[in-house]
């Protein structure tokens, strides 16, 4: 199963932990970090040294780090997490999304983001994320 790490600003992730996570989930890595009020996504790392080179300048920032183990979709930058939902919202997922169309190239998480999550937020706004009915709906999609 994929590994997701939430790292608060000012905390440290040890290189050994990152390497172990990468080696056990070798199908692509990525991270999102906050700089001021902006979110940035760096992803598509298939070699640990490439990941570390990009990670190190941001290692002290608030971040979400994801190491993928493929379930659906191709080995590609597009399928690496995290994903942009809106300009100010990113997400990563650990598991499988059900009830989304299967695609040979796109992962189930990409399909969920593009077909479900982005459209619900576009129509109903980000407040839907805190709605009990939305959470119930999400439980039916997420494994």
């Amino acid at each position: 199963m994929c590994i997701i790490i939430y790292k608060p600003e000012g905390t440290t992730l040890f290189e050994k932990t990152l390497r172990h996570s990468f080696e056990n989930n070798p199908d692509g890595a990525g991270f999102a970090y906050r700089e001021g009020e902006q979110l940035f996504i760096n992803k598509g790392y298939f070699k640990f040294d490439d990941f570390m080179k990009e990670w190190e300048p941001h290692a002290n920032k608030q971040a979400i780090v994801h190491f993928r183990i493929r379930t659906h979709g191709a080995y590609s930058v597009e399928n690496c997490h995290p994903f942009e939902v809106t300009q100010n919202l990113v997400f990563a997922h650990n598991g499988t999304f059900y009830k989304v169309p299967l695609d040979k190239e796109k992962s189930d998480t990409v399909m969920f983001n593009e077909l479900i999550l982005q459209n619900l937020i576009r129509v109903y706004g980000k407040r839907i994320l805190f709605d009990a009915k939305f959470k119930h709906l999400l439980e039916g999609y997420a494994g």
Side-chain angles (χ1 to χ4, degrees):
M1 192 167 284
C2 300
I3 295 174
I4 302 171
I5 302 169
Y6 167 69
K7 194 198 80 57
E9 184 175 5
T11 61
T12 301
L13 293 176
F14 296 108
E15 183 175 340
K16 180 179 179 180
T17 302
L18 294 169
R19 183 180 297 278
H20 182 74
S21 299
F22 190 95
E23 289 173 352
N24 285 282
N25 293 269
D27 299 333
F31 61 94
Y33 63 92
R34 177 180 297 284
E35 197 167 275
E37 292 300 313
Q38 287 190 287
L39 292 173
F40 297 90
I41 299 173
N42 290 17
K43 63 182 188 173
Y45 303 106
F46 298 96
K47 294 180 182 176
F48 182 72
D49 291 341
D50 294 342
F51 169 82
M52 283 304 294
K53 181 180 177 184
E54 294 298 319
W55 168 252
E56 286 175 345
H58 310 291
N60 200 39
K61 298 173 184 168
Q62 180 185 27
I64 296 171
V65 185
H66 186 276
F67 300 94
R68 182 177 185 233
I69 191 159
R70 181 183 167 271
T71 54
H72 297 96
Y75 298 97
S76 67
V77 172
E78 179 185 27
N79 288 329
C80 291
H81 303 222
F83 298 98
E84 181 178 294
V85 181
T86 70
Q87 187 178 17
N88 297 308
L89 180 64
V90 299
F91 90 105
H93 180 252
N94 185 2
T96 302
F97 280 106
Y98 302 100
K99 300 180 185 178
V100 295
L102 291 179
D103 187 285
K104 290 181 182 180
E105 294 300 315
K106 294 181 179 182
S107 74
D108 52 302
T109 309
V110 170
M111 297 296 287
F112 178 80
N113 187 38
E114 291 178 354
L115 298 175
I116 308 294
L117 193 55
Q118 289 179 346
N119 284 308
L120 283 172
I121 290 173
R122 179 181 50 78
V123 173
Y124 298 105
K126 284 189 255 182
R127 287 186 291 150
I128 193 170
L129 298 174
F130 304 99
D131 183 86
K133 292 177 186 107
F134 173 75
K135 289 178 183 180
H136 180 73
L137 174 69
L138 185 60
E139 288 173 2
Y141 279 90

